[in-house]
Amino acid sequence: MTTHFITAEIDLQETPAELLEAIETELKKQGEPLRWAVTSVDVEEQKATVEAVVTTVKS
């Protein structure tokens, strides 16, 4: 198992629940999230920057 620090840009959503789902979906593409945080929001571009630590299993 390895850990990685990643950064992802997520489109802002209509509701907090939809934003949470979008963040979790994007992070799971990279591995299993251990922790994550929204570190910035660009209101003009309607994007949130998320930093996360994820784990992946080596084959």
Side-chain angles (χ1 to χ4, degrees):
M1 181 179 344
T2 59
T3 59
H4 302 278
F5 179 80
I6 63 168
T7 303
E9 273 195 352
I10 310 294
D11 292 331
L12 294 180
Q13 305 294 316
E14 293 285 325
T15 67
E18 290 174 341
L19 180 59
L20 176 60
E21 184 176 335
I23 290 169
E24 289 175 340
T25 299
E26 186 63 31
L27 294 180
K28 286 187 180 194
K29 292 177 185 176
Q30 302 292 324
E32 186 63 34
L34 294 177
R35 66 176 179 84
W36 59 268
V38 175
T39 57
S40 67
V41 175
D42 186 333
V43 177
E44 290 180 12
E45 296 291 324
Q46 292 291 294
K47 300 270 186 188
T49 301
V50 176
E51 294 180 351
V53 175
V54 299
T55 61
T56 57
V57 177
K58 286 187 175 181
S59 314

